[in-house]
Amino acid sequence: QVQLVESGGGLVQPGESLRLSCAASGINFNTYTVHWYRQAPGKQRELVASITTSGTTSYADAMKGRFTISRDNAKNTVYLQMNSLKVEDTAVYYCNGVWAWLGASQSYWGQGTQVTVSS
């Protein structure tokens, strides 16, 4: 059974930091490109950051310089370090693992972790 489990969310004040984790089981996460998405109340889900199997990273413009995505292949885990958090970063954060090869693909989602930034 494949599972992606996010953790590390919580309530923080503006300017503080959180590190989210996405731990995979049942798959070799090293072969998946992993994306972090977020969804705020009343808004569409948006892409936050991505990391490829080779470790290439990309970020949404609003997160550049504040968020860092990384992976620990030995732990089958991807992280999202979030610094200088803002109220507008409040959302449920989801990880998404995508595997694609020669026309076949698989995509798995975690259940989400709530991040609330409030003074």
Side-chain angles (χ1 to χ4, degrees), residues 14-35:
E16 295 185 338
S17 300
L18 281 174
R19 189 177 80 155
L20 306 183
S21 300
C22 173
S25 59
I27 55 174
N28 182 357
F29 215 25
N30 307 340
T31 64
Y32 284 69
T33 290
V34 179
H35 310 285

Side-chain angles (χ1 to χ4, degrees), residues 11-18 82-86 117:
L11 172 63
V12 296
Q13 294 187 343
E16 295 185 338
S17 300
L18 281 174
M82 306 187 295
N83 298 329
S84 302
L85 283 163
K86 305 175 181 180
V117 185

Side-chain angles (χ1 to χ4, degrees), residues 22-67:
C22 173
S25 59
I27 55 174
N28 182 357
F29 215 25
N30 307 340
T31 64
Y32 284 69
T33 290
V34 179
H35 310 285
W36 281 99
Y37 288 82
R38 69 185 186 185
Q39 188 166 21
K43 295 188 177 181
Q44 289 189 330
R45 190 170 295 190
E46 64 174 340
L47 181 63
V48 172
S50 303
I51 187 165
T52 68
T53 56
S54 61
T56 300
T57 60
S58 59
Y59 301 90
D61 287 343
M63 292 71 174
K64 286 180 180 176
R66 298 192 300 125
F67 291 10

